[in-house]
Amino acid sequence: MFTPRDQNPALAALLTLCAAAFAAGTTLLAKALGTGALGPEMHALQISNGRFLFAFLAIGAVTAVMRPRFARPDLKLHAARSALGWGGVTLMFAAAAFIPLSDATAISFLNPVFAMMLAIPLLGETVGRVRWSAAAIAILGGIILTRPGGGVVELGAMLALCAAVLMGSEMILIKRLSGREGPFQILLVNNAIGLLISACAAVFVWQWPEPRQWAALAAIGVLMAAAQACFVNAMARADASFVAPFFYAALVFAAIYDALVFGVIPDVVSLIGATIILCGAGLLAWREARLKKSPPPVRPSQPG
């Protein structure tokens, strides 16, 4: 039986900031591999396979040492979640080769918006005017970042948008898993299934990596495992509406990494688009928090 963790908002915030820094680091390394900075250009399918391989090895090693108690997993739910996560990660890695990391990261913040939209038909949730307004604001920022008519930049933004849709869908399934299974079990099963899916896809584009590329792939896997562990544990210690805004720091980390390594400085369009997305996503997170704190409506008593 899985026992929920004690609530600790301060620790949850710190863990989420660490997850943001680690996640931005994986995108930076994926960009280096996809653009040929570390050797021959590597396909996004192979990069995502390396991400799942080394993340699984890292999580498996920690699991073997800590020996957490496992419950019976919902394999169908895990498989669907892992497939969506693999697709989202692969498209994000592909997008990073075309557009600045800050743009790709900002567009990825649309995934809560898509999750909200998908929750209507899939979870039967009701969405009010404030949340629809927040979604419209965030999507406007995403449209700005696509830079219509921008050639390859537009392609990269569209890849990131598709990644956000898949990751938003994944969030719906994560909601169903949270509270049912422990963090280690969720991470281990997710990465095991993701490894299987990504390996089948990578067969068609496989090329033997150079030593530097192996090191980068290993770093992507370890950083992603660390990011997942931090985020899952943060979600276990505070409400999602509290945790989510702290992950927006990934945008800052991505911009810093891109500037230091590739010399890419966000332009005016990037700043405007990212700001609008953050405003919309922030409004959505605030509204979610308010809805959770609101007491349920009092129903009139039924006649006896």
Side-chain angles (χ1 to χ4, degrees):
M1 179 72 69
F2 168 62
T3 303
R5 299 294 184 94
D6 293 334
Q7 296 294 285
N8 189 334
L11 179 58
L14 178 60
L15 288 170
T16 307
L17 289 174
C18 291
F22 296 150
T26 65
T27 312
L28 172 71
L29 291 169
K31 179 174 182 174
L33 290 168
T35 56
L38 296 175
E41 292 184 9
M42 186 173 289
H43 198 284
L45 289 174
Q46 185 172 352
I47 298 174
S48 65
N49 176 236
R51 166 255 183 270
F52 279 103
L53 169 62
F54 288 103
F56 175 74
L57 293 176
I59 295 171
V62 174
T63 302
V65 173
M66 299 189 66
R67 297 181 179 275
R69 183 176 298 177
F70 285 171
R72 183 176 180 179
D74 187 334
L75 292 179
K76 290 183 179 179
L77 197 57
H78 275 290
R81 179 252 167 128
S82 298
L84 291 169
W86 163 76
V89 166
T90 302
L91 289 176
M92 270 296 292
F93 287 168
F98 292 98
I99 59 178
L101 293 185
S102 57
D103 284 12
T105 304
I107 292 173
S108 74
F109 290 151
L110 289 172
N111 70 75
V113 175
F114 293 122
M116 181 206 76
M117 295 178 177
L118 291 167
I120 299 173
L122 298 180
L123 300 180
E125 293 186 2
T126 302
V127 177
R129 288 178 294 178
V130 175
R131 289 198 284 177
W132 275 121
S133 299
I137 293 171
I139 290 175
L140 173 61
I143 293 173
I144 291 174
L145 287 181
T146 61
R147 292 174 168 85
V152 294
V153 175
E154 181 182 359
L155 171 62
M158 293 306 297
L159 289 172
L161 276 174
C162 292
V165 172
L166 292 178
M167 289 187 286
S169 303
E170 182 188 17
M171 288 181 67
I172 298 295
L173 302 185
I174 291 176
K175 285 184 178 181
R176 294 185 176 181
L177 281 172
S178 62
R180 297 184 185 181
E181 302 177 19
F184 273 109
Q185 177 169 320
I186 292 174
L187 292 174
L188 188 64
V189 175
N190 168 244
N191 283 280
I193 298 175
L195 174 59
L196 178 62
I197 296 172
S198 63
C200 293
V203 168
F204 301 99
V205 296
W206 177 265
Q207 62 184 39
W208 192 259
E210 296 182 355
R212 291 186 302 171
Q213 292 176 317
W214 275 120
L217 289 172
I220 288 175
V222 172
L223 287 174
M224 185 58 75
Q228 287 183 320
C230 288
F231 192 74
V232 169
N233 279 281
M235 292 283 282
R237 288 175 169 84
D239 291 338
S241 56
F242 174 82
V243 169
F246 289 97
F247 196 76
Y248 298 157
L251 179 60
V252 178
F253 289 118
I256 293 174
Y257 296 163
D258 216 10
L260 292 177
V261 177
F262 292 100
V264 176
I265 306 298
D267 59 15
V268 175
V269 176
S270 294
L271 293 174
I272 292 175
T275 300
I276 293 175
I277 288 177
L278 291 179
C279 288
L283 177 59
L284 181 60
W286 171 81
R287 183 55 178 169
E288 294 289 345
R290 289 291 299 271
L291 289 174
K292 287 189 175 183
K293 291 180 181 179
S294 299
V298 179
R299 297 183 178 180
S301 58
Q302 298 294 325

